[in-house]
Structures are given as structure tokens and as C-alpha cells.
Amino acid sequence: MPDYETLRVIWWLILGTLLIGFAVTDGFDLGVGIIFRFVGRTDEERRALLECIEPVWEGNQVWFILAGGAVFAAWPLLYAASFSCLYLAMFLILIALILRPVGFNFRNKLPDARWRNFWDWTLLLAAALPALLFGVAFGNLFLGIAFHFDELMRPVYTAGFFSLLQPFALLAGVVSVSMLVLHGASYAALKAGEPMCSRAASIGRAAATAFVIAFAGAGAWLALGLDGQTISSGADPMGPSSPLLKSVVVLRGAWLGNYHAHEILWLAPLSALLAAVFAGAMLRLGRPGAAFISSSLAVTATILTAGIALFPFLLPSSTDPDQGLTIWDASSSAKTLFIMLLCVIVLLPIVLAYTAWVFHVLRGRITLEYMRKHGSWY
């Protein structure tokens, strides 16, 4: 069995993999949901765009469920603290995720234009809200969450929902929304027929520019204007899971410490920027397949960039930095991590194989002519 430190790092990597899997797969669903009301200018065109994501969106959310399960089992303190502190934000995301299947099912029950227009805007909101709040949540990790543990080791949150909407967190939300719009537009350009694919490509190029500007701005803010945290003493990679044993110092630009210590890690943010630029260029050249691969790389590299900067922190605290959660003091036991690792080794390849098979079966464009021929209008 690997030692405790190695198991903790492996599970940090697994959690990152699950988040990337969710962002890459369900991310294009959210991106299409944000833009379909504008890319599709008639009811038929919007229906065709929704047909691009309806068969796969539910399966894509498996990654989100797996990530939640991994946090619950591998990082119980993180699960307890995050769900306590971010309850309202997570509740809003849950409502939005529930509205998506409702919108898909009810939109076409009536032919009335007002009915369908209502559900179109509902689906847009149900896609835009999670995309924004996921980014805001990541931004708040760099700012620190206002929580501490009481004498019974219960997480106590000392702020409110609107305190999460600080300028840097909102900028992170812009990064998230523009990134997912680029990803969704690339998918729509690849999957939908004309004229939707050309309009999606145009939106994707604008989103690529917005992402590069917002991502670079957030990086500069981290380096020059934002206090970060670093562990000064007490964290034992092989020690017990107690967040009360370490000391943390707050320094300007400390979130870039891992990058300064290992310069090769700069490849992550550089890859995010280059992949977004390349995706925009491929959309301009009419190569949506290459654009979608590039946007997937941009999503992956963006999450890696944030994860590397935060490492080893999982949930930093702004009110009591010493009690912030790290991978060294918030995990389950070594035995639990090892048993779950064996399950992941068996089950994760099955999930990957099934996902690949589904997308292979559903390959091909959704055109207006195809929809009319096969009677896909309800």
C-alpha cells in the first residue's frame, strides 16, 4: 500500500481529474445553453441546438456526482465545511441544474411562442448561473472563505452569500463564463448545421478574446494585488487529519509560490492562454473539430492552473488562516483512501469507455433538414 502522503496526493489528483472531466463534458452543455437563444434565431434553429446536448447532458453530470462523492469520502472535513459555508450558493446551483431537465422536457409540450420563449430564457439562466457561480467559488478560494472551527470541530461560517461577490471573485466568474461559452460555441460549431454553426463560431471567437483578457487579468491580480497563504510550520503529510496543528502566514503574491519553486508549472497557464487563442483561430478558419479539442485543453489547463496555485490548500480560511483545510489535514484515513483508490482503478476506466462510446454513437451534425426528415419537431 502507498504511504499516507502519496495517497493524499493521489486523491488530490483524482479530485482534479473529476472536476476537469465535469468541466470538459458538462461545460460544453452549459456553454451551448448560454448561447443557444442567440445563435438560434428561430424556434427550429433553437430546437436543433438543444438536440445537440439533450442526449448527453445527463450523462455528463455523472462527473459532478463522482466529484461530490469523492469529496464526501476522501475529504470529509472539506465536504462538511464547504457545504456549510457555501450552502446558499450550492442551493442556487442545484436549482439551476434541476431546471435544465425541466426545461428540456417542458419546452416543447406546447407550440405557443410565449411558452417556448419562457423556457428558452429559463434554460439560458440555468446554464449561465452555474457557469458564473463555479467561477466565483474558485475565486473565493484565493480570497479565503470566512470560516473557522468551534470547540466541537464544527465549521462556523461568519459571512453571507453576497460577501462572496467580491471583485476578484466576479472576475473569476467572468473567466469561467467566457471559458465555457468558448467551449460550448466550439461544440455547437462542430455539432450543429448551418446557419447555427457559423453564428456559434463568431460567438466563440469573441469568447476566446474575453477569456484571454480575463484570465491574464486574474493572473496579474494574483501576482501583484492579492494576498495569498503559505504554510509556515506544523503540516505533516504523514500526520493525522487535524487542521488545528499548522501555522499559516499571509503574504502578497503567495499563491504563485508553487510556480516560482517549479518553473515548469508555468506551462499550465501558458497552455490555457495558447489553447484559447488557437481555438479562436480554428473557429475563424472553419475547423470546429480542432477548435473543440483546443477549448477542451483550455478548460483543462485553467483548472490545473488554479489547482497548482492553491496546492496544498483545499479550502483556505480568511478569518483564521491556521484553520484552513489542506490535503494534509482534511483527508480520510490511509486505509479508506487506499480502498477507494482500488475502486477508482476499476470503475473510472469503465466510465471513460462508456462516455467515449456514447459520443461515438451520437457523432454527426444536427441539421435542420435532418430534424425535419426524422420528425424531431414536437
Side-chain angles (χ1 to χ4, degrees), residues 149-150 153 241-246 322-324 329:
F149 290 96
D150 65 12
M153 285 301 294
S241 288
S242 173
L244 307 180
L245 304 178
K246 66 180 180 300
D322 291 345
Q323 295 190 18
D329 54 31

Side-chain angles (χ1 to χ4, degrees), residues 91-141:
F91 185 71
L92 291 175
I93 291 174
L94 179 61
I95 291 176
L97 295 179
I98 291 174
L99 282 176
R100 285 210 291 173
V102 175
F104 288 143
N105 288 327
F106 278 86
R107 181 189 185 275
N108 300 294
K109 295 299 184 182
L110 297 176
D112 182 72
R114 290 174 298 178
W115 172 269
R116 294 191 172 185
N117 193 51
F118 168 79
W119 287 111
D120 285 348
W121 285 107
T122 299
L123 286 168
L124 188 155
L125 178 63
L129 187 62
L132 176 66
L133 291 181
F134 283 137
V136 168
F138 263 97
N140 273 281
L141 293 182

